[in-house]
Amino acid sequence: MKDTTLRNAEQLGMTIRLKRKEKGLSQKGLAELLGVERKWVLRLEAGNPKAEFGLVLKTFEVLSLRAHLSNHDGPPPREDRHASTSRLDEVFRRLQRPVRK
């Protein structure tokens, strides 16, 4: 999975869902590894902005995800501005488009 900038809880949830599926884990299986109910995983993947931070970090550990904090005072590093579009970036763009009816 390519490095991706997350901007909201929904993007975090989608990232966790994709990584869980990459690892071949069900929501129930991930919940068991975390010591939580499946409902907690379901809410996290749906973008729960109130998810317990300690459990989110444990989820990162279980799924072998890495978090990186950066300062947004300046422009992004040169390599980030020209990086190729990842699958997640495309999914995030679709999420931000208005739904057509």
Side-chain angles (χ1 to χ4, degrees):
M1 180 178 283
K2 182 182 174 287
D3 287 352
T4 303
T5 301
L6 302 176
R7 292 179 175 82
N8 57 48
E10 290 82 11
Q11 291 175 347
L12 174 63
M14 184 169 294
T15 300
I16 289 170
R17 180 183 306 121
L18 289 172
K19 187 65 172 181
R20 174 182 58 78
K21 288 183 175 187
E22 272 183 20
K23 290 190 157 284
L25 283 170
S26 64
Q27 287 178 334
K28 181 180 177 185
L30 178 57
E32 288 172 358
L33 291 171
L34 295 172
V36 298
E37 294 182 12
R38 179 184 165 271
K39 188 183 293 187
W40 187 88
V41 173
L42 181 85
R43 288 182 184 144
L44 178 65
E45 290 183 355
N48 178 7
K50 296 181 181 183
E52 184 181 331
F53 190 66
L55 283 174
V56 172
L57 291 177
K58 187 174 180 181
T59 304
F60 279 23
E61 182 180 340
V62 167
L63 295 176
S64 302
L65 286 169
R66 178 179 47 130
H68 172 81
L69 300 175
S70 64
N71 186 342
H72 290 296
D73 289 343
R78 185 166 196 81
E79 64 272 10
D80 287 350
R81 284 183 272 172
H82 301 293
S84 61
T85 303
S86 73
R87 182 173 78 160
L88 277 177
D89 291 335
E90 177 61 28
V91 171
F92 296 155
R93 269 196 296 284
R94 288 183 192 161
L95 284 174
Q96 293 170 353
R97 291 182 191 156
V99 178
R100 295 181 186 189
K101 293 186 179 190

XYZ file of all heavy atoms in Angstrom:
817
model
N 0.850 -1.169 0.000
C 0.000 0.000 0.000
C 0.901 1.239 0.000
O 1.801 1.351 0.808
C -0.908 -0.031 1.232
C -1.842 1.145 1.321
S -2.950 1.054 2.753
C -4.127 -0.142 2.184
N 0.636 2.147 -0.888
C 1.400 3.387 -1.026
C 1.096 4.344 0.117
O 0.006 4.335 0.664
C 1.023 4.038 -2.368
C 1.757 5.311 -2.677
C 1.249 5.849 -4.013
C 1.831 7.194 -4.313
N 1.288 8.267 -3.507
N 2.079 5.184 0.478
C 1.834 6.213 1.480
C 0.697 7.112 1.015
O 0.644 7.504 -0.149
C 3.089 7.067 1.695
C 4.165 6.327 2.461
O 3.897 5.220 2.947
O 5.275 6.866 2.568
N -0.214 7.413 1.917
C -1.390 8.208 1.593
C -1.629 9.228 2.684
O -1.507 8.924 3.862
C -2.633 7.297 1.470
O -2.370 6.304 0.497
C -3.857 8.082 1.073
N -1.980 10.430 2.305
C -2.342 11.459 3.264
C -3.819 11.322 3.596
O -4.656 11.348 2.705
C -2.065 12.860 2.672
O -0.684 12.961 2.352
C -2.444 13.948 3.658
N -4.108 11.161 4.881
C -5.490 11.036 5.329
C -5.965 12.381 5.835
O -5.266 13.043 6.595
C -5.598 9.991 6.441
C -5.122 8.593 6.084
C -5.205 7.691 7.299
C -5.923 8.023 4.933
N -7.150 12.773 5.430
C -7.673 14.085 5.802
C -8.904 14.030 6.697
O -9.344 15.039 7.204
C -7.984 14.880 4.538
C -6.719 15.242 3.785
C -7.020 16.007 2.509
N -5.798 16.428 1.871
C -5.045 15.679 1.083
N -5.383 14.434 0.854
N -3.940 16.156 0.528
N -9.482 12.839 6.875
C -10.655 12.738 7.737
C -10.849 11.290 8.190
O -10.151 10.380 7.739
C -11.908 13.271 7.025
C -12.179 12.566 5.724
O -12.162 11.346 5.660
N -12.431 13.328 4.668
N -11.801 11.113 9.098
C -12.045 9.793 9.684
C -12.533 8.781 8.649
O -12.221 7.592 8.740
C -13.061 9.915 10.825
N -13.275 9.236 7.647
C -13.759 8.322 6.612
C -12.590 7.742 5.812
O -12.580 6.565 5.472
C -14.739 9.026 5.662
C -16.068 9.361 6.296
C -16.049 10.659 7.116
O -15.062 11.426 7.031
O -17.017 10.882 7.856
N -11.614 8.567 5.506
C -10.443 8.092 4.772
C -9.632 7.111 5.620
O -9.134 6.113 5.105
C -9.575 9.264 4.327
C -10.230 10.111 3.266
C -9.417 11.341 2.907
O -8.486 11.724 3.586
N -9.800 11.979 1.806
N -9.522 7.387 6.919
C -8.837 6.456 7.816
C -9.573 5.120 7.823
O -8.947 4.059 7.693
C -8.778 7.032 9.232
C -8.225 6.094 10.295
C -6.773 5.731 10.007
C -8.364 6.707 11.671
N -10.895 5.161 7.937
C -11.676 3.925 7.945
C -11.519 3.132 6.663
O -11.376 1.911 6.684
N -11.528 3.824 5.540
C -11.370 3.139 4.262
C -9.976 2.511 4.143
O -9.827 1.400 3.639
C -11.607 4.107 3.110
C -11.558 3.425 1.760
S -12.138 4.488 0.461
C -13.837 4.639 0.945
N -8.976 3.213 4.627
C -7.612 2.684 4.601
C -7.520 1.414 5.432
O -6.940 0.409 5.000
C -6.623 3.741 5.136
O -6.703 4.901 4.305
C -5.203 3.211 5.140
N -8.111 1.440 6.603
C -8.100 0.262 7.477
C -8.851 -0.884 6.819
O -8.399 -2.029 6.831
C -8.666 0.622 8.865
C -7.637 1.511 9.592
C -9.015 -0.619 9.677
C -8.127 2.148 10.859
N -10.001 -0.601 6.213
C -10.771 -1.639 5.531
C -9.954 -2.283 4.405
O -9.899 -3.514 4.288
C -12.066 -1.072 4.950
C -12.896 -2.135 4.224
C -14.155 -1.567 3.577
N -14.967 -0.848 4.530
C -15.306 0.445 4.430
N -14.911 1.164 3.394
N -16.043 1.018 5.342
N -9.309 -1.464 3.582
C -8.516 -2.002 2.473
C -7.349 -2.848 2.974
O -7.079 -3.925 2.445
C -8.004 -0.862 1.590
C -9.053 -0.146 0.739
C -8.449 1.080 0.060
C -9.659 -1.083 -0.293
N -6.677 -2.388 4.010
C -5.544 -3.145 4.552
C -6.014 -4.440 5.191
O -5.374 -5.484 5.048
C -4.778 -2.282 5.563
C -3.499 -2.909 6.039
C -2.503 -3.059 4.910
C -1.161 -3.506 5.440
N -0.165 -3.649 4.392
N -7.154 -4.393 5.888
C -7.708 -5.613 6.486
C -7.993 -6.647 5.413
O -7.650 -7.823 5.533
C -8.995 -5.279 7.261
C -9.720 -6.521 7.782
C -11.011 -6.190 8.495
N -11.989 -5.462 7.703
C -12.784 -6.009 6.771
N -12.684 -7.298 6.473
N -13.670 -5.269 6.130
N -8.605 -6.189 4.318
C -8.929 -7.102 3.220
C -7.660 -7.625 2.549
O -7.607 -8.795 2.167
C -9.842 -6.414 2.214
C -11.244 -6.227 2.752
C -12.163 -5.601 1.729
C -13.584 -5.534 2.245
N -14.507 -5.079 1.218
N -6.640 -6.769 2.401
C -5.360 -7.218 1.839
C -4.788 -8.366 2.657
O -4.174 -9.278 2.121
C -4.328 -6.078 1.849
C -4.334 -5.194 0.655
C -3.232 -4.140 0.736
O -2.250 -4.321 1.495
O -3.365 -3.121 0.045
N -4.964 -8.309 3.959
C -4.433 -9.333 4.854
C -5.358 -10.538 4.960
O -5.039 -11.498 5.667
C -4.169 -8.746 6.234
C -3.005 -7.768 6.248
C -2.643 -7.423 7.669
C -1.229 -6.945 7.776
N -0.226 -7.951 7.709
N -6.508 -10.486 4.287
C -7.432 -11.613 4.300
C -8.178 -11.785 5.617
O -8.604 -12.889 5.947
N -8.327 -10.694 6.355
C -9.034 -10.749 7.633
C -10.486 -10.313 7.468
O -10.768 -9.369 6.730
C -8.382 -9.803 8.644
C -7.092 -10.239 9.308
C -6.484 -9.077 10.079
C -7.352 -11.402 10.245
N -11.363 -10.972 8.177
C -12.753 -10.524 8.246
C -12.840 -9.457 9.336
O -11.916 -9.290 10.138
C -13.672 -11.691 8.609
O -13.359 -12.154 9.917
N -13.960 -8.751 9.388
C -14.155 -7.789 10.479
C -14.145 -8.509 11.820
O -13.561 -8.023 12.790
C -15.471 -7.026 10.293
C -15.417 -6.017 9.169
C -16.737 -5.314 8.961
O -17.797 -5.836 9.277
N -16.672 -4.113 8.399
N -14.746 -9.675 11.861
C -14.770 -10.458 13.093
C -13.357 -10.886 13.490
O -12.991 -10.815 14.661
C -15.666 -11.692 12.923
C -15.768 -12.538 14.161
C -16.655 -13.745 13.942
C -16.676 -14.606 15.196
N -17.418 -15.844 15.000
N -12.570 -11.305 12.508
C -11.197 -11.722 12.788
C -10.355 -10.572 13.332
O -9.581 -10.745 14.285
N -10.489 -9.389 12.727
C -9.762 -8.224 13.215
C -10.239 -7.864 14.618
O -9.428 -7.574 15.504
C -9.935 -7.037 12.265
C -9.261 -5.730 12.706
C -7.762 -5.914 12.921
C -9.530 -4.624 11.676
N -11.534 -7.908 14.831
C -12.081 -7.596 16.157
C -11.500 -8.527 17.220
O -11.126 -8.074 18.312
C -13.607 -7.699 16.131
N -11.390 -9.805 16.900
C -10.825 -10.762 17.858
C -9.369 -10.424 18.174
O -8.953 -10.491 19.331
C -10.952 -12.186 17.317
C -12.381 -12.695 17.327
C -12.554 -14.030 16.611
O -11.562 -14.571 16.064
O -13.698 -14.527 16.586
N -8.591 -10.053 17.156
C -7.190 -9.681 17.381
C -7.061 -8.423 18.236
O -6.094 -8.272 18.984
C -6.481 -9.465 16.044
C -6.260 -10.711 15.189
C -5.749 -10.327 13.804
C -5.279 -11.650 15.878
N -8.051 -7.532 18.126
C -8.032 -6.279 18.873
C -8.670 -6.400 20.250
O -8.510 -5.513 21.087
C -8.762 -5.186 18.086
C -8.140 -4.772 16.758
C -9.075 -3.835 16.012
C -6.778 -4.139 16.985
N -9.434 -7.475 20.465
C -10.136 -7.639 21.732
C -11.358 -6.749 21.848
O -11.691 -6.268 22.934
N -12.012 -6.506 20.695
C -13.215 -5.667 20.665
C -14.333 -6.429 19.962
O -14.122 -7.496 19.409
C -12.950 -4.320 19.929
C -11.886 -3.508 20.652
C -12.564 -4.544 18.472
N -15.518 -5.842 19.971
C -16.631 -6.429 19.234
C -16.518 -6.066 17.753
O -15.941 -5.043 17.399
C -17.960 -5.908 19.785
C -18.247 -6.355 21.199
C -19.590 -5.860 21.694
O -20.403 -5.359 20.881
O -19.835 -5.973 22.903
N -17.107 -6.898 16.899
C -17.106 -6.633 15.456
C -17.716 -5.265 15.161
O -17.290 -4.558 14.255
C -17.888 -7.724 14.721
C -17.954 -7.495 13.232
C -18.830 -8.553 12.541
N -19.153 -8.106 11.220
C -20.229 -7.357 10.916
N -21.069 -6.989 11.852
N -20.448 -6.992 9.667
N -18.698 -4.859 15.948
C -19.369 -3.578 15.761
C -18.369 -2.414 15.838
O -18.492 -1.436 15.117
C -20.463 -3.401 16.818
C -21.351 -2.202 16.595
C -22.361 -2.029 17.717
C -23.364 -3.148 17.731
N -24.461 -2.929 18.700
N -17.343 -2.541 16.702
C -16.336 -1.485 16.823
C -15.561 -1.354 15.513
O -15.313 -0.258 15.021
C -15.384 -1.759 17.997
C -14.454 -0.614 18.243
C -14.699 0.465 19.038
C -13.172 -0.402 17.655
N -13.622 1.338 18.994
C -12.678 0.826 18.146
C -12.379 -1.111 16.774
C -11.435 1.347 17.786
C -11.149 -0.592 16.400
C -10.693 0.619 16.909
N -15.171 -2.491 14.933
C -14.443 -2.483 13.656
C -15.337 -1.903 12.561
O -14.887 -1.082 11.758
C -13.956 -3.902 13.274
C -13.356 -3.929 11.887
C -12.953 -4.421 14.313
N -16.586 -2.303 12.538
C -17.542 -1.791 11.551
C -17.630 -0.266 11.630
O -17.555 0.422 10.607
C -18.921 -2.417 11.792
C -20.010 -2.007 10.825
C -19.948 -2.889 9.592
C -21.361 -2.129 11.489
N -17.744 0.265 12.839
C -17.830 1.721 13.019
C -16.527 2.416 12.615
O -16.564 3.487 12.001
C -18.176 2.054 14.463
C -19.599 1.726 14.826
C -19.895 2.114 16.259
N -21.234 1.718 16.642
C -21.555 1.277 17.846
N -20.645 1.191 18.793
N -22.793 0.926 18.107
N -15.401 1.829 12.984
C -14.112 2.416 12.610
C -13.985 2.495 11.093
O -13.616 3.534 10.539
C -12.956 1.592 13.187
C -11.546 2.064 12.829
C -11.273 3.440 13.437
C -10.522 1.047 13.306
N -14.317 1.423 10.413
C -14.218 1.399 8.951
C -15.223 2.341 8.300
O -15.006 2.799 7.184
C -14.398 -0.029 8.433
C -13.224 -0.927 8.775
C -13.355 -2.320 8.204
O -14.400 -2.653 7.602
O -12.388 -3.097 8.352
N -16.302 2.651 8.995
C -17.298 3.584 8.473
C -16.898 5.041 8.712
O -17.569 5.948 8.249
C -18.656 3.303 9.100
N -15.800 5.237 9.451
C -15.314 6.595 9.658
C -15.710 7.215 10.979
O -15.852 8.428 11.080
N -15.842 6.408 12.020
C -16.203 6.923 13.338
C -15.148 7.914 13.835
O -14.026 7.528 14.141
C -16.337 5.766 14.331
C -16.670 6.221 15.730
O -16.932 7.393 15.975
N -16.660 5.286 16.661
N -15.488 9.216 13.936
C -14.512 10.198 14.387
C -14.244 10.137 15.888
O -13.336 10.791 16.379
C -15.157 11.534 14.003
C -16.610 11.263 14.029
C -16.766 9.814 13.601
N -15.020 9.329 16.612
C -14.853 9.242 18.058
C -14.222 7.924 18.498
O -14.288 7.573 19.671
C -16.205 9.431 18.743
C -16.787 10.814 18.511
C -18.109 10.974 19.207
C -18.669 12.357 18.919
N -19.914 12.585 19.617
N -13.602 7.196 17.576
C -12.969 5.920 17.913
C -11.835 6.154 18.905
O -11.092 7.132 18.804
C -12.431 5.246 16.652
N -11.720 5.263 19.860
C -10.681 5.381 20.883
C -9.296 5.319 20.234
O -8.973 4.373 19.520
C -10.837 4.260 21.904
C -9.862 4.359 23.046
C -10.006 3.223 24.038
O -11.115 2.682 24.184
O -8.988 2.881 24.643
N -8.508 6.352 20.492
C -7.205 6.498 19.828
C -6.277 5.317 20.113
O -5.584 4.834 19.217
C -6.554 7.811 20.252
C -5.333 8.148 19.453
C -5.429 8.430 18.100
C -4.092 8.177 20.048
C -4.312 8.740 17.354
C -2.962 8.489 19.318
C -3.069 8.774 17.963
N -6.273 4.836 21.339
C -5.421 3.697 21.682
C -5.762 2.462 20.860
O -4.868 1.735 20.411
N -7.049 2.235 20.634
C -7.464 1.093 19.819
C -7.151 1.311 18.343
O -6.832 0.365 17.624
C -8.962 0.818 20.007
C -9.341 0.106 21.299
C -10.858 0.011 21.437
C -8.723 -1.284 21.358
N -7.225 2.553 17.882
C -6.853 2.852 16.499
C -5.371 2.532 16.313
O -4.977 1.895 15.326
C -7.162 4.321 16.123
C -6.601 4.658 14.754
C -8.667 4.569 16.168
N -4.541 2.945 17.266
C -3.105 2.644 17.178
C -2.851 1.132 17.226
O -1.988 0.615 16.505
C -2.345 3.345 18.295
C -2.273 4.866 18.189
C -1.560 5.446 19.413
C -1.586 5.306 16.914
N -3.600 0.426 18.050
C -3.478 -1.039 18.110
C -3.876 -1.654 16.764
O -3.261 -2.610 16.293
C -4.338 -1.593 19.243
C -4.139 -3.068 19.488
C -4.907 -3.529 20.714
C -4.702 -5.017 20.961
N -5.459 -5.491 22.123
N -4.904 -1.086 16.136
C -5.328 -1.552 14.812
C -4.203 -1.371 13.803
O -3.927 -2.259 12.996
C -6.588 -0.777 14.354
O -7.619 -0.923 15.327
C -7.076 -1.268 13.004
N -3.528 -0.215 13.862
C -2.380 0.018 12.979
C -1.335 -1.071 13.179
O -0.788 -1.607 12.218
C -1.746 1.376 13.274
C -2.443 2.555 12.657
C -3.766 2.516 12.286
C -1.758 3.731 12.469
C -4.398 3.611 11.721
C -2.370 4.837 11.900
C -3.690 4.778 11.531
N -1.056 -1.389 14.433
C -0.042 -2.404 14.742
C -0.442 -3.772 14.189
O 0.344 -4.445 13.523
C 0.166 -2.486 16.255
C 1.227 -3.465 16.674
C 1.404 -3.524 18.183
O 0.994 -2.577 18.879
O 1.953 -4.532 18.648
N -1.684 -4.169 14.441
C -2.172 -5.475 13.987
C -2.139 -5.585 12.464
O -1.811 -6.635 11.910
C -3.599 -5.731 14.536
C -4.264 -6.899 13.837
C -3.557 -5.956 16.041
N -2.453 -4.482 11.770
C -2.503 -4.497 10.310
C -1.167 -4.092 9.663
O -1.080 -3.985 8.445
C -3.610 -3.563 9.809
C -5.039 -3.978 10.181
C -6.035 -2.925 9.703
C -5.375 -5.349 9.609
N -0.154 -3.864 10.486
C 1.165 -3.438 9.994
C 1.082 -2.129 9.220
O 1.726 -1.960 8.187
C 1.810 -4.529 9.129
O 1.930 -5.724 9.847
N 0.257 -1.206 9.719
C 0.162 0.132 9.137
C 1.077 1.052 9.926
O 1.302 0.851 11.113
C -1.269 0.667 9.203
C -2.251 0.059 8.223
C -3.677 0.471 8.576
C -1.918 0.480 6.803
N 1.586 2.074 9.262
C 2.481 3.032 9.899
C 1.860 4.409 9.786
O 1.352 4.790 8.731
C 3.821 2.999 9.163
C 4.844 3.956 9.649
C 6.113 3.791 8.846
N 5.817 3.746 7.428
C 6.424 4.483 6.519
N 7.370 5.300 6.855
N 6.102 4.383 5.247
N 1.904 5.167 10.874
C 1.394 6.535 10.865
C 2.574 7.497 10.910
O 3.574 7.235 11.565
C 0.482 6.767 12.054
N 2.435 8.611 10.212
C 3.475 9.634 10.187
C 2.806 10.989 10.356
O 1.866 11.307 9.628
C 4.228 9.584 8.851
C 5.183 10.703 8.655
N 6.439 10.683 9.211
C 5.080 11.865 7.993
C 7.055 11.806 8.879
N 6.246 12.540 8.143
N 3.277 11.762 11.311
C 2.741 13.099 11.526
C 3.682 14.098 10.876
O 4.895 13.969 10.949
C 2.629 13.401 13.024
C 1.736 12.458 13.812
C 1.801 12.794 15.295
C 0.316 12.530 13.307
N 3.111 15.111 10.248
C 3.958 16.119 9.618
C 3.388 17.501 9.890
O 2.217 17.662 10.204
C 4.077 15.874 8.117
O 2.826 16.013 7.496
N 4.220 18.490 9.720
C 3.865 19.880 9.931
C 3.297 20.439 8.633
O 3.905 20.320 7.579
C 5.123 20.642 10.343
C 4.843 22.072 10.718
O 3.802 22.618 10.381
N 5.767 22.668 11.419
N 2.140 21.069 8.684
C 1.490 21.600 7.480
C 1.749 23.084 7.264
O 1.032 23.743 6.531
C -0.020 21.357 7.528
C -0.380 19.914 7.380
N -0.130 19.191 6.245
C -0.958 19.055 8.250
C -0.542 17.955 6.414
N -1.051 17.849 7.623
N 2.765 23.647 7.926
C 3.049 25.076 7.786
C 3.553 25.455 6.401
O 3.326 26.552 5.935
C 4.083 25.535 8.825
C 3.491 25.565 10.227
O 2.255 25.547 10.348
O 4.271 25.598 11.184
N 4.228 24.557 5.754
C 4.800 24.870 4.446
C 4.232 23.975 3.370
O 3.346 23.159 3.617
N 4.746 24.123 2.149
C 4.284 23.264 1.055
C 4.738 21.834 1.288
O 5.694 21.592 2.017
C 4.965 23.867 -0.177
C 6.167 24.557 0.359
C 5.796 25.034 1.737
N 4.051 20.871 0.670
C 4.471 19.477 0.823
C 5.849 19.273 0.212
O 6.257 20.024 -0.669
C 3.399 18.693 0.053
C 2.787 19.672 -0.870
C 2.931 21.017 -0.230
N 6.578 18.272 0.697
C 7.880 17.980 0.092
C 7.749 17.761 -1.403
O 6.716 17.311 -1.885
C 8.326 16.693 0.793
C 7.525 16.641 2.050
C 6.238 17.358 1.761
N 8.793 18.078 -2.139
C 8.789 18.014 -3.599
C 8.291 16.671 -4.130
O 7.492 16.613 -5.039
C 10.166 18.331 -4.133
C 10.221 18.391 -5.618
C 11.526 19.032 -6.085
N 11.441 19.428 -7.446
C 10.874 20.529 -7.889
N 10.356 21.376 -7.056
N 10.835 20.805 -9.169
N 8.753 15.564 -3.545
C 8.350 14.249 -4.047
C 6.852 13.998 -3.865
O 6.244 13.312 -4.654
C 9.173 13.127 -3.422
C 8.987 12.967 -1.929
C 9.926 13.841 -1.104
O 10.608 14.731 -1.668
O 9.961 13.652 0.114
N 6.238 14.590 -2.815
C 4.797 14.394 -2.602
C 3.962 15.110 -3.655
O 2.888 14.667 -4.005
C 4.394 14.883 -1.220
C 4.860 13.959 -0.114
O 5.325 12.847 -0.411
O 4.755 14.371 1.045
N 4.443 16.258 -4.154
C 3.670 17.026 -5.131
C 3.580 16.318 -6.478
O 2.648 16.527 -7.228
C 4.293 18.407 -5.328
C 3.988 19.350 -4.179
C 4.563 20.683 -4.460
N 5.927 20.673 -3.950
C 6.809 21.626 -4.151
N 6.490 22.674 -4.865
N 8.006 21.550 -3.649
N 4.551 15.487 -6.768
C 4.591 14.838 -8.086
C 4.417 13.320 -8.004
O 4.655 12.634 -8.978
C 5.904 15.178 -8.788
C 6.092 16.652 -8.967
N 5.295 17.409 -9.789
C 6.957 17.509 -8.388
C 5.671 18.673 -9.736
N 6.666 18.774 -8.892
N 4.009 12.833 -6.849
C 3.846 11.393 -6.681
C 2.694 10.901 -7.545
O 1.722 11.598 -7.793
C 3.571 11.063 -5.206
N 2.800 9.660 -7.987
C 1.726 9.090 -8.796
C 0.496 8.848 -7.928
O 0.587 8.669 -6.718
C 2.191 7.773 -9.422
O 2.511 6.845 -8.414
N -0.661 8.856 -8.554
C -1.916 8.697 -7.839
C -2.076 7.246 -7.407
O -1.930 6.327 -8.188
C -3.089 9.086 -8.755
O -2.887 10.417 -9.191
C -4.408 8.985 -8.018
N -2.374 7.058 -6.137
C -2.582 5.704 -5.626
C -4.056 5.336 -5.733
O -4.915 6.183 -5.964
C -2.141 5.613 -4.164
O -3.068 6.288 -3.342
N -4.312 4.087 -5.540
C -5.688 3.598 -5.564
C -6.522 4.296 -4.482
O -7.654 4.689 -4.721
C -5.682 2.085 -5.342
C -7.043 1.456 -5.396
C -6.961 -0.022 -5.351
N -6.726 -0.440 -3.977
C -6.966 -1.652 -3.516
N -7.401 -2.576 -4.319
N -6.747 -1.959 -2.274
N -5.941 4.485 -3.296
C -6.669 5.161 -2.224
C -6.960 6.610 -2.567
O -8.037 7.117 -2.277
C -5.873 5.116 -0.921
C -6.009 3.849 -0.100
C -5.105 3.922 1.113
C -7.430 3.610 0.322
N -6.003 7.298 -3.179
C -6.235 8.684 -3.565
C -7.440 8.784 -4.494
O -8.257 9.690 -4.370
C -5.004 9.291 -4.246
C -3.851 9.489 -3.279
O -4.098 9.628 -2.073
O -2.697 9.504 -3.750
N -7.556 7.848 -5.419
C -8.689 7.837 -6.349
C -9.998 7.588 -5.595
O -11.005 8.243 -5.840
C -8.491 6.776 -7.426
C -9.648 6.655 -8.397
C -9.937 7.930 -9.182
O -9.006 8.737 -9.415
O -11.105 8.140 -9.543
N -9.976 6.655 -4.657
C -11.166 6.367 -3.861
C -11.571 7.599 -3.062
O -12.745 7.961 -2.995
C -10.917 5.165 -2.924
C -12.061 4.991 -1.935
C -10.738 3.886 -3.744
N -10.596 8.302 -2.467
C -10.898 9.497 -1.683
C -11.505 10.583 -2.557
O -12.422 11.282 -2.146
C -9.647 10.026 -0.992
C -9.084 9.072 0.033
C -7.749 9.119 0.362
C -9.881 8.136 0.673
C -7.222 8.251 1.298
C -9.362 7.263 1.604
C -8.038 7.323 1.923
N -11.010 10.724 -3.777
C -11.582 11.714 -4.695
C -13.039 11.388 -4.986
O -13.899 12.258 -5.027
C -10.784 11.785 -5.994
C -9.673 12.815 -5.951
C -9.168 13.120 -7.337
N -8.550 11.982 -7.991
C -7.327 11.523 -7.704
N -6.607 12.092 -6.786
N -6.830 10.499 -8.345
N -13.320 10.112 -5.187
C -14.702 9.703 -5.460
C -15.608 9.996 -4.270
O -16.764 10.386 -4.443
C -14.764 8.214 -5.780
C -14.195 7.877 -7.125
C -14.347 6.423 -7.420
N -13.559 6.056 -8.572
C -13.214 4.828 -8.861
N -13.580 3.828 -8.086
N -12.493 4.565 -9.926
N -15.093 9.804 -3.059
C -15.887 10.077 -1.862
C -16.245 11.546 -1.742
O -17.274 11.893 -1.184
C -15.117 9.659 -0.605
C -15.063 8.184 -0.312
C -14.147 7.930 0.871
C -16.449 7.624 -0.033
N -15.408 12.416 -2.256
C -15.632 13.849 -2.121
C -16.534 14.410 -3.211
O -16.966 15.545 -3.123
C -14.292 14.589 -2.108
C -13.501 14.251 -0.856
C -12.084 14.767 -0.902
O -11.631 15.267 -1.919
N -11.387 14.610 0.201
N -16.834 13.617 -4.239
C -17.736 14.073 -5.305
C -19.167 14.018 -4.809
O -19.557 13.118 -4.088
C -17.613 13.173 -6.524
C -16.296 13.304 -7.239
C -16.287 12.418 -8.452
N -14.935 12.359 -8.987
C -14.485 11.376 -9.729
N -15.262 10.368 -10.045
N -13.255 11.383 -10.175
N -20.007 14.960 -5.231
C -21.429 14.883 -4.846
C -22.093 13.667 -5.480
O -21.739 13.263 -6.592
C -22.027 16.182 -5.404
C -21.011 16.774 -6.301
C -19.689 16.117 -6.047
N -23.007 13.094 -4.756
C -23.751 11.926 -5.255
C -24.800 12.395 -6.238
O -25.582 13.298 -5.963
C -24.418 11.169 -4.078
C -25.224 10.009 -4.599
C -23.378 10.723 -3.085
N -24.832 11.772 -7.418
C -25.836 12.117 -8.436
C -27.058 11.248 -8.263
O -26.962 10.068 -8.029
C -25.262 11.901 -9.845
C -24.124 12.831 -10.128
C -23.615 12.591 -11.516
N -22.416 13.392 -11.731
C -21.830 13.537 -12.901
N -22.324 12.933 -13.942
N -20.757 14.256 -13.012
N -28.198 11.860 -8.392
C -29.449 11.090 -8.229
C -30.233 11.102 -9.510
O -30.143 11.893 -10.345
C -30.272 11.667 -7.098
C -29.588 11.475 -5.783
C -30.486 11.917 -4.654
C -29.754 11.685 -3.340
N -30.579 11.851 -2.216
